[in-house]
Structure formats: structure tokens, C-alpha cells
Amino acid sequence: MSGDDNRREGFRMDDLLKLQVKPVDKDDPEGIAANFDDYRMRTCLQSHLRNQNESRLPILQSIRKRDAEVADYLEHLEAQVAQLAARLANESDLEFGDMQQETQVNMSASGLRFDSDLPDLAPGGLLELGMLLSTSGTEVVAIAEILRVEPSETAQTGSETSVQVSTRFTRIHPDDVEAIIRHMAKLQLLQLQARRSENEMRGLD
């Protein structure tokens, strides 16, 4: 791995994520541990297609310059596939749209740190992490190994069950790594723009 790749994957940011955390059941034949790629496609198909369409957009634009009718037909096919994916998504175990609460996390493309109330968490354990990236609406699912379990700041202020969990992704699709990196880049840009606007407003006072 190059130095640039290390820097991209090691870059960390604080964020509010819609996050689902479940212990990995290695004995579940339909679970994430049995066949990660199949499980990811079933649970995050819409996001997978969105990422693929985004990566192929320059090719489609090139085709449109040569033959607009072919480009229109390809876009029609993409819309049909997207509708099918939406129907299949109704059977997903991860229902991001129904999640109201956001979780404060410290994230990178290689893992997450977050507070959890799940019992019996210990280093070496595996978790299924489902994430909804706010800047793109991309759904990401990954298997993560627990690296550390420590008392959280919340626990110190009254919650005896909450702990801070540090994790490292052990199974994640390369497209989802890129989606997380793009999300953090957009999030950083939005934060810089907000800070710049705030400073300009203060200058007007």
C-alpha cells in the first residue's frame, strides 16, 4: 500500500452516523459471516448500484456525445434496475430509513470508534456495522473486529452500561472504502464552508 493510500485510509473525522451494530453470528447461514459479498448485495444493493453508476458516468457521457439514443436506452435500463433494487431492499435486514437516532462516531476508512450499550463486548469479538453516509445516502455494511473496549464519557456522567468501542474493518468492499473516503472529504468541505460563512457573518457584525 502506498503512502497516499495509508494517509487516505488513516484520516479520521468525528461524525454523526445512522449506525446499526450487531454481534456477528457465525452460525447463521443467511448472516454476514456466511457469505459477505452476497449479504452486502442483499442489504446494500441500491447503494452498490449508485456507486457503480457514479463511477461509470464519464463513460455514459462519452457515449451520449456519440449516440444519444444509445445513452437514453442505457439510462432507461439503469432506472429499471434501480426500481428492482428498491423492491428487493424492502427485504433487507438493515432498515436505515427507520433509524431516527444518530450515533456520534470517530471514523476512518479502516474502522470506527463509537459508544455502545451492547453487553459482553470484548477485544477480538466481531461486529456487523451498518452505516448510512449522510453526504451521499450510501449504505455501507462491514464486519469489524473489536480492538478496545473502554469506559465512555457517557458512562462517566451516569450511564453504567455504555462503553467506547474501537473497531477495525476486517471485511468491507473496496467500493465502500471509497464511499467512506468521499464522504469524509465532502464532510470536511461542508465544515470548512460553514466555518467560512460563520467568520464572514462575524465580520459583518
Side-chain angles (χ1 to χ4, degrees):
M1 183 179 291
S2 69
D4 287 342
D5 288 337
N6 280 325
R7 282 193 293 272
R8 289 193 333 142
E9 295 198 14
F11 178 68
R12 307 195 69 90
M13 285 192 71
D14 291 329
D15 191 15
L16 280 172
L17 285 183
K18 286 191 174 181
L19 177 69
Q20 286 189 346
V21 183
K22 298 193 299 185
V24 170
D25 184 354
K26 297 180 180 179
D27 297 324
D28 181 1
E30 297 295 324
I32 192 171
N35 189 326
F36 175 80
D37 291 331
D38 178 66
Y39 185 87
R40 173 184 176 270
M41 287 297 290
R42 284 189 284 116
T43 56
C44 302
L45 180 57
Q46 288 178 289
S47 289
H48 175 76
L49 292 174
R50 190 184 303 117
N51 287 335
Q52 292 297 310
N53 291 343
E54 183 177 334
S55 66
R56 295 192 179 103
L57 184 59
I59 299 176
L60 182 61
Q61 291 172 337
S62 177
I63 293 174
R64 180 169 295 284
K65 291 178 181 178
R66 298 196 305 269
D67 194 324
E69 289 187 358
V70 172
D72 288 342
Y73 179 67
L74 292 174
E75 288 183 335
H76 171 72
L77 289 179
E78 287 181 355
Q80 294 297 309
V81 172
Q83 289 180 13
L84 177 60
R87 293 179 183 177
L88 294 174
N90 292 331
E91 302 175 2
S92 170
D93 292 334
L94 297 177
E95 298 177 352
F96 293 102
D98 295 335
M99 296 173 60
Q100 300 299 322
Q101 187 173 358
E102 294 180 315
T103 301
Q104 183 72 43
V105 303
N106 181 262
M107 71 183 308
S108 74
S110 58
L112 290 183
R113 184 169 67 244
F114 54 91
D115 283 1
S116 175
D117 292 327
L118 286 175
D120 303 322
L121 298 180
L126 296 179
L127 298 173
E128 174 189 335
L129 302 181
M131 296 161 270
L132 180 64
L133 306 180
S134 60
T135 60
S136 62
T138 299
E139 298 167 359
V140 174
V141 65
I143 297 177
E145 178 188 7
I146 299 174
L147 300 179
R148 292 181 301 279
V149 178
E150 303 166 314
S152 71
E153 294 181 3
T154 304
Q156 294 173 5
T157 58
S159 173
E160 297 180 357
T161 59
S162 183
V163 292
Q164 186 178 81
V165 185
S166 299
T167 67
R168 174 180 62 87
F169 299 139
T170 57
R171 291 296 306 273
I172 185 170
H173 195 279
D175 286 353
D176 293 336
V177 173
E178 290 299 319
I180 291 174
I181 291 171
R182 289 196 302 270
H183 167 70
M184 290 193 295
K186 291 179 182 178
L187 190 63
Q188 186 179 42
L189 179 60
L190 290 172
Q191 291 176 350
L192 290 173
Q193 290 173 341
R195 195 174 305 146
R196 188 179 300 117
S197 297
E198 184 179 344
N199 290 338
E200 289 175 354
M201 291 297 294
R202 288 177 177 174
L204 295 175
D205 292 340

